[in-house]
Amino acid sequence: MSTRIEVVADPVRDRCLLTTDHLSPRQLPGAAGVVRVALVAAGALLLAGDDVRIEIAVSGAVRLEIVETAGTVAYGMRGGSARWDIDIRLTDGASLQWYAEPFVVAADADVTRTTTARLATGCTAHLRESLVLGRQGETGGVLRTATRAWLGEDLLLAEDLDLSPDTRTGWAVLGTNRCLDTVTTLGFRLPDDPQTLQLEGPGSIARRLVHEQHQSTLNRPASASYAR
């Protein structure tokens, strides 16, 4: 099964269908044209053997805002491994804002994390991913990430990162830092900035490498400035 959030715009009342698996989505009050959904862990996460899949489908002129109530810790797995897969599909002018809480990979954890996003032309997504390698005083375990995003028929973003202990300390990866904080926009660009990469198509990646997650200067956007 999958945790699934499905939103369909409606002139009277936007429809929201929620399915619980490893995570329990719960609808929150929201302004007109905005559906807000909280993600709450339905049990201990993330453990060896866990296969977490989150599916998000939004259709029509509505914005889905996903709120995480707490960060996630991938615990030591004693030779096991776990997956965390996100699948996003936006159509007919939909938009998504998801500012995730920290995803902490503890010592001896082994995690593969993927994000796949397919946006129809005219849709937008504003996503934050905060990866923390190890709890306080730890050397974090293995983390591999893969991101693929399409806008219409065009591949907008393809990125693979190997954040295993043997590779992430390279000067072109994390160096001496243990936190990788990233804001990605799809369907629109962030303002030009020395620390922001503008994609070939309409999209941006703003990234901060810090030792402690709270040192990051990537802040949650004000609702009024959010791009539709």
Side-chain angles (χ1 to χ4, degrees):
M1 287 184 62
S2 302
T3 297
R4 183 172 175 84
I5 302 171
E6 183 175 355
V7 176
V8 179
D10 186 275
V12 177
R13 182 179 181 182
D14 298 320
R15 288 172 285 161
C16 182
L17 178 63
L18 305 176
T19 304
T20 295
D21 190 40
H22 287 87
L23 295 166
S24 177
R26 303 177 185 180
Q27 190 168 356
L28 303 172
V34 178
V35 173
R36 301 179 69 238
V37 175
L39 284 178
V40 182
L45 285 177
L46 188 68
L47 306 176
D50 283 345
D51 188 352
V52 176
R53 181 172 177 82
I54 305 168
E55 297 178 351
I56 298 164
V58 189
S59 178
V62 61
R63 181 168 88 231
L64 171 62
E65 294 183 1
I66 296 180
V67 179
E68 293 188 15
T69 59
T72 298
V73 177
Y75 296 97
M77 297 179 181
R78 300 181 181 180
S81 62
R83 293 189 61 91
W84 186 282
D85 298 316
I86 300 169
D87 184 86
I88 298 167
R89 296 177 185 263
L90 308 179
T91 58
D92 299 324
S95 63
L96 169 66
Q97 179 179 301
W98 186 352
Y99 255 48
E101 295 298 320
F103 188 93
V104 182
V105 181
D108 195 37
D110 187 335
V111 182
T112 298
R113 181 182 169 105
T114 72
T115 301
T116 302
R118 296 183 182 273
L119 282 66
T121 302
C123 296
T124 61
H126 198 165
L127 312 172
R128 183 182 187 178
E129 180 181 69
S130 295
L131 306 176
V132 182
L133 283 308
R135 294 175 290 188
Q136 187 67 35
E138 286 186 340
T139 297
V142 173
L143 175 62
R144 293 170 294 273
T145 74
T147 304
R148 299 289 185 272
W150 285 263
L151 184 62
E153 298 299 320
D154 298 326
L155 181 62
L156 184 61
L157 173 61
E159 181 181 62
D160 296 292
L161 294 175
D162 183 353
L163 299 178
S164 303
D166 293 339
T167 61
R168 64 178 180 244
T169 55
W171 66 269
V173 189
L174 296 186
T176 60
N177 298 293
R178 68 184 187 94
C179 305
L180 178 63
D181 195 18
T182 303
V183 168
T184 302
T185 65
L186 307 171
F188 72 101
R189 287 183 170 178
L190 296 170
D192 287 333
D193 180 271
Q195 293 181 291
T196 298
L197 171 68
Q198 304 295 0
L199 303 180
E200 183 175 352
S204 306
I205 298 175
R207 189 161 271 167
R208 302 291 187 270
L209 304 180
V210 293
H211 188 67
E212 302 289 344
Q213 198 274 342
H214 68 268
Q215 296 170 337
S216 175
T217 58
L218 294 178
N219 298 315
R220 185 180 300 275
S223 297
S225 64
Y226 179 77
R228 286 295 301 268

